[in-house]
């Protein structure tokens, strides 16, 4: 087992013990400039991290650990295409997807060219569908896009599509998009039965083109298309986004309808690639470019800012601080914006599939916490669901409140109330309330307070600020991985489940109502299979 042995680590640990009894409110009283000192603005994002159990000394120690972890070099290695995903011998170039291709470093010119070509295809497809040049087999315009994909091939584009809802139908007739991920037949059935295949485009997004769920949905969708058109017509209704060109061709996707995914882009980091095609189709290529631009701005901030002024590094260190020294094992993201209600789900995969690891790059098993449990939900709904635990529970939860200051609607009263609720939650967690009455339930009605939170603001939720926000979290995750010495870009942990599901599937299919010999399955799983078979 291996521990973190940065030279400053024990000092940080002692410092945490010193700070633990501090009152955050008293730190505000003692330093009138605290709110200003512990806030930061970059790429259209404003971070108020003053309501944290930290001092200026904490920041200095965070900075020392970041440099002792060689974080600047790791950042430069990532941007320059080093194969930092060592267990898959790959680079991690999601930042290149949104960079200005002409500024790509010499060693990445080929990748930059491939990205530029892919962006041209995204632009031409989206423009052709919007202006009606792209017609279906019966000559009708495409008005429905079904995006088939799961994990990073679904969560990113779906979250962005919902977040940008106010930008729908601005320039042209709104194209409906439908995201189907699960293999559960209910979703695809309910979707297909309500739309006309002759005006529908199916996008099959799968880096491997071997993910069970996506292939099952793709086959069902293809069968549905073929009840209304012949094979030849398919090429007007199917696009694949994959790194497995051969499998896509075998499926019947026309060569010129296959857009690339590269092995140097992880699924959970891929919304900036052709996986984001439904965004360009629905909102226009310009909006998709603005999304990339926002992420690029955050990349620049991340790559160029020293730790004390580096937003992703600060969020990363705060997460590590609470997990290692305050027993926080979860982190909640609470967007006070209906459009961002699916951001927590995207961040769950981004963070937990990246940092849910316990073996380090030096092959040692960690003896410390790594990836946090990420959860959350839209505010103000959470106040009527899980905020009770945040205020009176006994679990230390890392917290990010996210709030666009300007709404995309004119119901100012609603927005004023939303803003007041968001700010009141972080304030209530800070100050708490000691009930003075001597009623028998005084303790039940008191709130301890002194509970930290971050507040992340943007002037308005736009494609740019959305891109910057997502990139902020991507880089937070990366910084934590570097400090924890783990690889955030592989995901070996998902393989076993896939293999076992294959075996169980064949057990189910092979059943011929004779003796239920489920081989070497554990008795529980065997009994569950039998129960399923007996009842269907
Ligand atoms: O969950 C495992 C995983 O490989 C994710 O990393 C990925 O985003 C998802 O499955 C889908 O994979 P693919 O894009 O290859 O279908």
């Amino acid at each position: 087992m291996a521990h973190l042995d940065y030279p400053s680590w024990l000092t940080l640990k002692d410092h945490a013990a010193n700070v633990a009894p501090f009152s955050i409110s008293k730190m505000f009283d003692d330093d009138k400039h605290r709110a200003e000192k512990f806030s930061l603005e970059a790429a259209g994002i404003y971070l108020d991290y003053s309501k944290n159990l930290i001092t200026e000394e904490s920041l200095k120690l965070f900075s020392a650990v970041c440099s002792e972890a060689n974080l600047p070099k790791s950042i430069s290695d990532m941007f320059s295409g080093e194969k930092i995903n060592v267990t898959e011998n790959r680079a991690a170039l999601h930042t290149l997807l949104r960079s200005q291709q002409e500024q790509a470093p010499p060693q990445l010119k080929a990748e930059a060219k491939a990205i530029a070509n892919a962006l041209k295809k995204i632009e031409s497809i989206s423009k052709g569908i919007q202006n009606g040049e792209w017609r279906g087999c019966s000559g009708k315009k495409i008005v429905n896009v079904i995006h088939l994909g799961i994990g990073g091939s679904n969560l990113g584009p779906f979250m962005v599509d919902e977040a940008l809802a106010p930008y729908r139908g601005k320039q042209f007739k709104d194209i409906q998009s439908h995201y189907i991920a699960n293999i559960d037949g209910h979703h695809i059935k309910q979707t297909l039965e309500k739309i006309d295949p002759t005006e529908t485009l199916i996008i099959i997004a799968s880096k491997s083109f071997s993910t069970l769920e996506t292939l099952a949905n793709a086959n069902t969708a293809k069968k549905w298309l073929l009840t209304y058109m012949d094979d030849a017509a398919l090429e007007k209704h199917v696009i694949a986004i994959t790194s497995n060109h051969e499998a896509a061709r075998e499926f019947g996707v026309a060569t010129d309808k296959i857009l690339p995914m590269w092995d140097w882009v992880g699924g959970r980091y891929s919304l900036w690639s052709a996986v984001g095609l439904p965004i360009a189709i629905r909102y226009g290529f310009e909006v998709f470019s603005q999304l990339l631009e926002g992420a690029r701005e955050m990349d620049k901030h991340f790559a160029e800012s020293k730790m004390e002024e580096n937003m992703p590094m600060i969020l990363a260190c705060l997460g590590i601080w609470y997990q290692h020294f305050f027993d926080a094992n979860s982190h909640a993201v609470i967007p006070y914006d209906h459009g961002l209600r699916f951001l927590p789900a995207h961040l769950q995969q981004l963070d937990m599939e990246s940092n849910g690891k316990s073996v380090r790059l030096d092959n040692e098993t960690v003896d410390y916490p790594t990836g946090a449990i990420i959860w959350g939900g839209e505010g103000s709904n959470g106040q009527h669901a899980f905020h009770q635990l945040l205020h009176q529970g006994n679990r230390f939860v890392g917290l990010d409140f996210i709030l666009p200051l300007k709404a995309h609607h004119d119901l100012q009263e609603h927005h004023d109330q939303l803003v007041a609720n968001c700010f009141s939650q972080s304030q209530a967690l800070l100050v708490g309330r000691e009930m003075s009455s001597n009623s028998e339930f005084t303790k039940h009605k008191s709130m301890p307070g002194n509970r930290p939170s971050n507040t992340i603001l943007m002037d308005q939720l736009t494609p740019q600020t959305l891109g910057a926000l997502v990139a902020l979290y991507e880089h937070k995750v990366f910084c934590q991985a570097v400090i924890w010495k783990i690889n955030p870009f592989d995901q070996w942990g998902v393989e076993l489940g896939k293999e076992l599901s294959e075996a169980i599937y064949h057990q189910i299919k092979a059943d011929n109502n004779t003796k239920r010999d489920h081989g070497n399955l554990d008795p529980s799983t065997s009994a569950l299979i039998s129960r399923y078979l007996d009842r269907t």
Side-chain angles (χ1 to χ4, degrees):
M1 300 282 271
H3 57 281
L4 288 177
D5 54 2
Y6 300 117
S8 306
W9 192 256
L10 289 179
T11 313
L12 186 65
K13 187 175 179 202
D14 294 343
H15 173 65
N18 292 337
V19 168
F22 283 17
S23 150
I24 304 171
S25 292
K26 188 174 180 314
M27 290 196 275
F28 278 110
D29 297 341
D30 295 347
D31 178 356
K32 298 292 174 237
H33 301 291
R34 181 181 175 84
E36 182 196 327
K37 273 182 193 165
F38 291 85
S39 62
L40 183 60
E41 188 151 14
I45 304 292
Y46 176 83
L47 168 65
D48 169 11
Y49 61 104
S50 60
K51 294 190 181 91
N52 275 294
L53 258 172
I54 55 169
T55 66
E56 288 175 273
E57 176 61 14
S58 317
L59 287 185
K60 288 195 182 83
L61 289 168
F62 290 167
S63 180
V65 168
C66 287
S67 50
E68 289 157 12
N70 234 345
L71 188 49
K73 174 157 185 328
S74 298
I75 295 169
S76 145
D77 286 352
M78 176 170 74
F79 278 86
S80 58
E82 293 299 320
K83 292 191 169 25
I84 56 175
N85 175 0
V86 290
T87 63
E88 295 181 302
N89 191 31
R90 294 172 176 174
L93 284 169
H94 42 290
T95 52
L96 192 68
L97 293 172
R98 60 231 189 182
S99 72
Q100 300 284 23
Q101 306 313 328
E102 61 280 1
Q103 288 165 13
Q107 72 276 15
L108 296 177
K109 285 298 178 205
E111 289 83 352
K113 181 98 182 84
I115 293 168
N117 291 339
L119 286 170
K120 283 199 190 94
K121 276 197 122 177
I122 294 168
E123 182 173 17
S124 112
I125 291 168
S126 52
K127 286 209 159 76
I129 289 174
Q130 290 149 15
N131 62 27
E133 277 164 30
W134 181 311
R135 299 276 170 153
C137 61
S138 61
K140 285 186 189 171
K141 289 183 180 179
I142 298 293
V143 293
N144 283 302
V145 174
I146 298 181
H147 184 91
L148 304 177
I150 196 163
S153 297
N154 161 268
L155 289 164
F158 177 60
M159 177 272 296
V160 169
D161 200 329
E162 290 301 321
L164 295 182
Y167 293 81
R168 281 176 194 163
K170 284 265 189 285
Q171 303 107 319
F172 41 81
K173 179 173 167 17
D174 188 14
I175 291 164
Q176 297 302 317
S177 50
H178 313 265
Y179 294 81
I180 302 174
N182 200 333
I183 196 160
D184 176 350
H186 289 107
H187 195 179
I188 192 158
K189 183 94 178 125
Q190 289 157 10
T191 305
L192 297 184
E193 63 193 11
K194 65 185 182 188
I195 54 179
D196 172 353
T198 61
E199 49 188 23
T200 299
L201 174 70
I202 307 276
I203 298 176
I204 305 168
S206 175
K207 183 173 176 181
S208 59
F209 217 88
S210 64
T211 302
L212 186 78
E213 297 92 337
T214 305
L215 290 187
N217 284 324
N219 281 309
T220 301
K222 179 178 171 182
K223 221 179 286 171
W224 173 71
L225 286 174
L226 290 176
T227 54
Y228 296 84
M229 58 191 83
D230 60 28
D231 269 19
L234 272 187
E235 63 106 16
K236 294 186 175 9
H237 294 273
V238 182
I239 282 178
I241 300 159
T242 184
S243 61
N244 191 341
H245 195 279
E246 190 189 329
R249 285 290 300 125
E250 222 167 279
F251 180 85
V253 184
T255 300
D256 68 338
K257 299 294 185 302
I258 299 175
L259 276 71
M261 279 176 89
W262 300 282
D263 71 7
W264 30 267
V265 175
R268 51 196 175 274
Y269 298 88
S270 65
L271 76 85
W272 324 98
S273 71
V275 169
L277 177 63
I279 304 307
I281 292 173
R282 188 171 203 186
Y283 295 89
F285 185 73
E286 181 51 30
V287 164
F288 183 65
S289 305
Q290 290 164 1
L291 185 76
L292 300 185
E293 179 195 337
R296 183 166 60 245
E297 287 305 303
M298 184 53 76
D299 292 346
K300 188 171 180 326
H301 163 74
F302 177 52
E304 297 176 358
S305 306
K306 60 184 179 27
M307 190 274 153
E308 291 86 351
E309 293 153 19
N310 193 304
M311 205 177 279
M313 286 188 198
I314 287 169
L315 287 181
C317 290
L318 285 168
I320 288 176
W321 171 252
Y322 291 132
Q323 277 187 236
H324 285 255
F325 306 121
F326 295 83
D327 291 333
N329 53 29
S330 85
H331 188 94
V333 176
I334 306 177
Y336 272 69
D337 180 90
H338 184 63
L340 287 174
R341 65 192 181 284
F342 297 110
L343 177 65
H346 173 66
L347 297 181
Q348 272 186 333
Q349 187 201 11
L350 175 65
D351 199 312
M352 296 170 82
E353 195 165 84
S354 295
N355 287 347
K357 316 274 169 73
S358 50
V359 175
R360 304 195 325 183
L361 292 167
D362 59 6
N363 278 336
E364 291 289 340
T365 302
V366 298
D367 72 350
Y368 48 82
T370 52
I373 295 163
I374 305 297
W375 60 286
E378 70 180 289
S380 61
N381 302 16
Q383 295 169 214
H384 307 272
F386 52 80
H387 283 220
Q388 163 61 37
L389 178 137
L390 300 178
H391 290 286
Q392 289 189 324
N394 60 1
R395 296 196 183 264
F396 196 118
V397 178
L399 272 176
D400 295 344
F401 291 108
I402 300 172
L403 172 75
L405 295 178
K406 191 172 174 306
H408 281 282
H409 60 67
D410 58 1
L411 301 173
Q412 195 55 45
E413 187 50 30
H414 282 256
H415 199 61
D416 290 345
Q417 293 281 10
L418 180 76
V419 172
N421 272 280
C422 179
F423 294 163
S424 66
Q425 287 303 309
S426 65
Q427 188 201 15
L429 289 160
L430 169 70
V431 300
R433 182 174 66 186
E434 192 61 43
M435 299 300 282
S436 53
S437 78
N438 51 11
S439 87
E440 59 182 325
F441 298 121
T442 303
K443 281 182 74 178
H444 293 263
K445 295 175 182 173
S446 296
M447 271 141 277
N450 212 39
R451 297 189 170 191
S453 64
N454 299 310
T455 298
I456 296 171
L457 303 178
M458 61 206 70
D459 287 351
Q460 190 170 40
L461 183 61
T462 64
Q464 290 91 339
T465 54
L466 178 61
L469 182 69
V470 176
L472 167 61
Y473 279 100
E474 287 180 347
H475 297 320
K476 168 198 172 181
V477 165
F478 177 67
C479 290
Q480 292 189 330
V482 170
I483 292 169
W484 286 326
K485 303 178 186 224
I486 57 178
N487 176 8
F489 297 115
D490 61 11
Q491 53 285 318
W492 299 108
V494 301
E495 296 313 317
L496 178 60
K498 289 180 183 175
E499 285 156 31
L500 297 183
S501 79
E502 189 103 10
I504 292 177
Y505 171 75
H506 290 303
Q507 295 272 3
I508 289 170
K509 300 309 280 182
D511 182 71
N512 51 18
N513 257 327
T514 56
K515 185 172 82 55
R516 288 270 158 74
D517 168 18
H518 294 149
N520 57 356
L521 279 179
D522 62 274
S524 159
T525 306
S526 175
L528 292 171
I529 294 173
S530 300
R531 190 172 179 85
Y532 171 65
L533 293 169
D534 294 343
R535 282 161 176 70
T536 50

